Amino acid sequence: MEFNETKKNVKRLYKDHVRHHLKRLMACLVLSILIAASTSAIAWLLDPAVKKIFIDKNQLLAWVIPLAIIVTFSLKGLSLYYARLNINIVGNKISGELQKKIAKSILSSDVQTLDSRHSGKYISNIHFDAGQVQHLVSTGVLNLMKDTFSVVLLVGLMFYQNWKLASFAIFMIPLAGGFAKNLGKQVGKATSQASVLSGIQTSFLADILKGSKMIRIFQKEEDENERAKNVIDDLVNKNIKVAEIMMRATPIMEALTGFMIAGFIFFSGKLIHSGELALNNFFSFLAAMMLAYQPIRSLATLNMVFYQGAAAAKRIYQIIDKPIQVKNEPHLPNLEIKNCDIKFNNIGFKYEDTNERAVNNINLKIDGGKITALVGQSGAGKSTLINLIPRFYDPQEGEIQIDNQNIKKINLKSLRNTISLVSQEIMLFDDTIKNNIAYADSSATQEDIIQACKFAAADEFINKLSNKYDTIVGENGVKLSGGQKQRVSIARAILKKSPIILLDEATSSLDTESERVVQNAINQLIKGRTTLIIAHRLSTIHNADKIFVLKSGKVIGSGNHEELINSNKEYKNLYKNQLK
């Protein structure tokens, strides 16, 4: 990453976050001055200590100066403690603010944006990149303040003691700075690569946890273990590379320090011999020079910390700055529900990563209060049409209307408030059954939840569980069977009391008995509501008021079951194939 880009990201970081914590930063600034002043005072006190105690043998100062040194060290220690405490609070708060922005971006983004990136990479941004920014603020900013003041005051003391020796000592500073600038660019590049690898590792770990059963049934443990070694080794090697670049400064700084001390001793000997430098001035100068070594070294490598933090901030901003294609616009009118008629007018849609349209020139009407079904082979466009109604995606062509209102021109929250979705991909949180159902309506009472479960035929199995409605279902409902999870999902939809119900192959993965129970629960859910059903098992949609047959993204027939059996070849073939 170039210097100008680093500067741009650091400026934005200051504008958006750092400046909101100026009180604590000003406190750190004052404390940094105290740290620098006390560090310089320690070096200066050696001047009177040597002269008055060891040369003049002053008994009073033999007590006073050691006490002054104790006070000075204590002041430095307390100042350093409070400075680090305050800057760490600022760093962690800024890291938390960025993490919240990433979370908000994930929750606000349209589904298509989220689908284009593995979830593990978002997790890496939250943990790895936010951590790098926290390090920039907590370490980089404090070191910039305290070490700058320390170097200025210590160099000032060195000039006070002897300007000739001081001129020689500061000659080394530009050399260290120029070397560190080059290392900073390398660190920024290597850190960016480490972030990418961290995302890959997180994605991989998420995949092997989700796919644990599949890995075992196909006996791919050794293959995945080999992949795990490679992914982990790549990140380890990259982190070692970053550390190696950071450590390159050490031998250079040590060598420069060696030259500086050797030259200092040589010139000091000459100056003492000629009477231009007293022994007490020599010790004070030596202490100042040695105490200046650490802050000079820190400042010389500080740009590496800034490059790392700025590169991480850039990756975070790429997420939070990404335009949201489908978002709520509060100024738009709310959806006014009358009959819940849904119309698709000349709808055309394709996914971002494909050139082929998923649906093309779709025109159909779903009557309010009726049951409508979509059937067709996999890839015909059924799920795409269902996903367009709650605006998980927006069509590139045409418009969708609910009661003659274009859904793009109404408030998104009011639109989704009228829709419940029951899918074959059931999402349950690692929480209690009660909380999973109440997710549809946080104000629901216990009685409301129980009533919804009775309608969904879930109350009976829930009451047989050890903790009943307070049973933790595990990650994505792993502790429940497929039928039980689906009934909990239906209870959640019932609790929402939405006038529009979308059923996306809700019974496709269930056995016959579970399907019968769930189908009865679905019948309770859809009573008197506008219902759109996708079903592979055509036996579940015999009673649909209208069935649309899709093929290759187009509607090729419509009617009820009897009409389509007699008039539509595609539907008849689908039905016959299921009877075999």
Side-chain angles (χ1 to χ4, degrees):
M1 191 166 66
E2 295 299 322
F3 175 74
N4 287 336
E5 195 173 5
T6 300
K7 184 178 174 184
K8 176 184 171 184
N9 288 318
V10 170
K11 273 187 174 180
R12 180 174 174 184
L13 201 59
Y14 171 79
K15 181 182 176 184
D16 292 354
H17 300 281
V18 176
R19 70 187 180 94
H20 300 301
H21 303 275
L22 282 180
K23 285 185 179 179
R24 286 192 184 274
L25 288 172
M26 290 306 296
C28 290
L29 184 68
V30 172
L31 290 165
S32 294
I33 294 171
L34 288 175
I35 294 166
S38 56
T39 303
S40 301
I42 292 164
W44 177 81
L45 282 169
L46 287 178
D47 183 342
V50 172
K51 188 174 189 303
K52 299 297 181 182
I53 298 174
F54 297 109
I55 296 175
D56 296 345
K57 296 182 170 57
N58 188 311
Q59 293 300 310
L60 176 62
L61 291 178
W63 286 95
V64 173
I65 291 173
L67 286 172
I69 290 173
I70 292 171
V71 170
T72 306
F73 268 102
S74 299
L75 177 63
K76 180 182 177 181
L78 284 170
S79 299
L80 191 56
Y81 166 76
Y82 284 110
R84 284 177 174 166
L85 177 64
N86 277 284
I87 203 69
N88 268 287
I89 289 171
V90 173
N92 279 290
K93 283 191 174 183
I94 290 172
S95 174
E97 288 165 11
L98 288 169
Q99 288 173 329
K100 288 172 188 174
K101 284 190 174 184
I102 296 170
K104 184 179 179 182
S105 177
I106 292 169
L107 292 169
S108 304
S109 289
D110 49 280
V111 174
Q112 189 148 272
T113 298
L114 296 177
D115 287 347
S116 65
R117 200 165 185 260
H118 197 289
S119 58
K121 292 178 181 177
Y122 286 108
I123 295 169
S124 178
N125 291 129
I126 288 174
H127 290 294
F128 183 87
D129 291 332
Q132 291 289 329
V133 173
Q134 189 267 338
H135 181 66
L136 162 62
V137 177
S138 298
T139 302
V141 174
L142 180 60
N143 286 357
L144 179 64
M145 291 191 291
K146 74 179 180 64
D147 292 339
T148 300
F149 287 126
S150 294
V151 169
V152 168
L153 291 179
L154 288 167
V155 169
L157 177 61
M158 288 159 67
F159 272 98
Y160 171 77
Q161 297 294 358
N162 191 285
W163 68 269
K164 291 180 180 178
L165 282 176
S167 299
F168 170 77
I170 64 170
F171 173 72
M172 297 295 179
I173 296 175
L175 294 177
F179 178 75
K181 183 179 179 182
N182 180 54
L183 285 183
K185 291 180 180 178
Q186 295 178 48
V187 166
K189 182 180 178 182
T191 304
S192 295
Q193 293 169 347
S195 174
V196 172
L197 291 172
S198 175
I200 292 170
Q201 185 188 85
T202 309
S203 302
F204 171 75
L205 292 173
D207 285 343
I208 61 173
L209 285 169
K210 288 179 184 175
S212 59
K213 292 178 182 176
M214 186 180 70
I215 291 168
R216 284 157 179 76
I217 200 65
F218 287 108
Q219 301 179 64
K220 293 292 183 181
E221 292 94 337
E222 290 185 10
D223 292 347
E224 294 302 332
N225 191 42
E226 193 61 35
R227 281 184 65 205
K229 287 178 183 177
N230 292 334
V231 169
I232 293 167
D233 284 345
D234 285 345
L235 182 57
V236 168
N237 291 335
K238 188 56 64 177
N239 285 334
I240 290 171
K241 180 70 174 176
V242 172
E244 187 264 330
I245 295 170
M246 295 285 285
M247 290 173 190
R248 284 179 196 171
T250 301
I252 300 298
M253 290 301 297
E254 294 295 335
L256 288 173
T257 304
F259 277 110
M260 186 170 67
I261 292 175
F264 165 73
I265 292 171
F266 177 79
F267 284 120
S268 295
K270 292 280 187 183
L271 292 171
I272 291 172
H273 187 264
S274 65
E276 293 183 56
L277 182 70
L279 193 62
N280 55 301
N281 299 126
F282 167 78
F283 277 109
S284 180
F285 187 98
L286 178 62
M289 188 179 71
M290 297 303 290
L291 287 171
Y293 167 73
Q294 189 280 327
I296 289 172
R297 185 179 184 279
S298 173
L299 290 172
T301 57
L302 195 61
N303 70 320
M304 300 183 202
V305 177
F306 274 83
Y307 268 108
Q308 282 181 305
K314 177 187 174 183
R315 291 188 293 273
I316 290 172
Y317 290 140
Q318 284 173 342
I319 294 171
I320 62 181
D321 291 344
K322 195 172 181 68
I324 299 171
Q325 304 298 326
V326 180
K327 60 183 176 182
N328 186 49
E329 297 183 51
H331 67 277
L332 292 176
N334 288 337
L335 177 63
E336 293 183 11
I337 291 297
K338 296 172 185 174
N339 301 319
C340 281
D341 293 334
I342 304 173
K343 292 179 184 175
F344 288 76
N345 296 325
N346 302 314
I347 294 297
F349 175 80
K350 76 176 189 66
Y351 293 96
E352 276 187 356
D353 55 350
T354 61
N355 294 320
E356 191 176 340
R357 288 172 182 261
V359 292
N360 187 31
N361 195 31
I362 295 291
N363 290 281
L364 55 86
K365 182 185 176 186
I366 299 164
D367 293 325
K370 301 289 181 68
I371 300 170
T372 303
L374 302 177
V375 300
Q377 301 282 0
S378 294
K382 307 182 297 297
S383 292
T384 298
L385 290 180
I386 270 195
N387 287 327
L388 293 176
I389 296 173
R391 292 189 66 197
F392 292 153
Y393 307 96
D394 274 342
Q396 288 87 19
E397 295 174 7
E399 67 177 33
I400 300 171
Q401 296 179 343
I402 296 178
D403 287 336
N404 297 316
Q405 300 161 80
N406 186 339
I407 63 172
K408 276 191 178 182
K409 296 179 180 178
I410 59 174
N411 185 290
L412 185 61
K413 284 189 175 180
S414 74
L415 168 68
R416 291 180 178 169
N417 194 46
T418 66
I419 300 169
S420 286
L421 172 65
V422 179
S423 170
Q424 62 176 329
E425 297 174 4
I426 308 154
M427 176 60 213
L428 296 180
F429 297 100
D430 188 10
D431 203 341
T432 63
I433 290 176
K434 178 176 69 177
N435 289 341
N436 269 287
I437 295 168
Y439 198 75
D441 181 3
S442 54
S443 64
T445 65
Q446 179 78 4
E447 185 56 40
D448 292 333
I449 293 167
I450 292 171
Q451 194 62 37
C453 288
K454 285 180 178 177
F455 276 116
D459 182 66
E460 184 180 347
F461 89 78
I462 292 172
N463 281 313
K464 289 179 181 177
L465 299 173
S466 55
N467 293 314
K468 300 183 179 179
Y469 282 84
D470 291 320
T471 300
I472 300 290
V473 301
E475 186 178 0
N476 206 24
V478 70
K479 295 179 182 178
L480 303 179
S481 70
Q484 289 172 338
K485 287 195 289 185
Q486 196 61 281
R487 278 178 272 170
V488 169
S489 176
I490 292 167
R492 184 164 57 191
I494 290 172
L495 191 65
K496 191 177 180 184
K497 300 174 183 175
S498 303
I500 298 172
I501 307 294
L502 306 178
L503 302 174
D504 188 356
E505 301 184 25
T507 62
S508 64
S509 59
L510 303 179
D511 59 71
T512 305
E513 179 57 26
S514 296
E515 182 183 10
R516 183 188 62 78
V517 174
V518 169
Q519 191 60 52
N520 288 335
I522 287 173
N523 292 338
Q524 292 290 335
L525 169 65
I526 66 178
K527 263 183 190 174
R529 291 174 173 152
T530 301
T531 305
L532 183 58
I533 302 174
I534 293 176
H536 275 135
R537 295 180 186 174
L538 302 186
S539 58
T540 61
I541 57 166
H542 279 183
N543 296 326
D545 297 293
K546 197 164 192 179
I547 301 168
F548 289 95
V549 184
L550 278 75
K551 185 176 183 180
S552 302
K554 294 180 181 179
V555 176
I556 60 168
S558 64
N560 60 34
H561 174 70
E562 294 298 329
E563 290 169 347
L564 289 170
I565 281 287
N566 296 321
S567 64
N568 190 278
K569 185 179 178 181
E570 180 73 13
Y571 185 84
K572 189 176 182 179
N573 288 337
L574 287 170
Y575 189 71
K576 280 184 176 180
N577 287 336
Q578 289 190 11
L579 293 176
K580 290 179 181 179

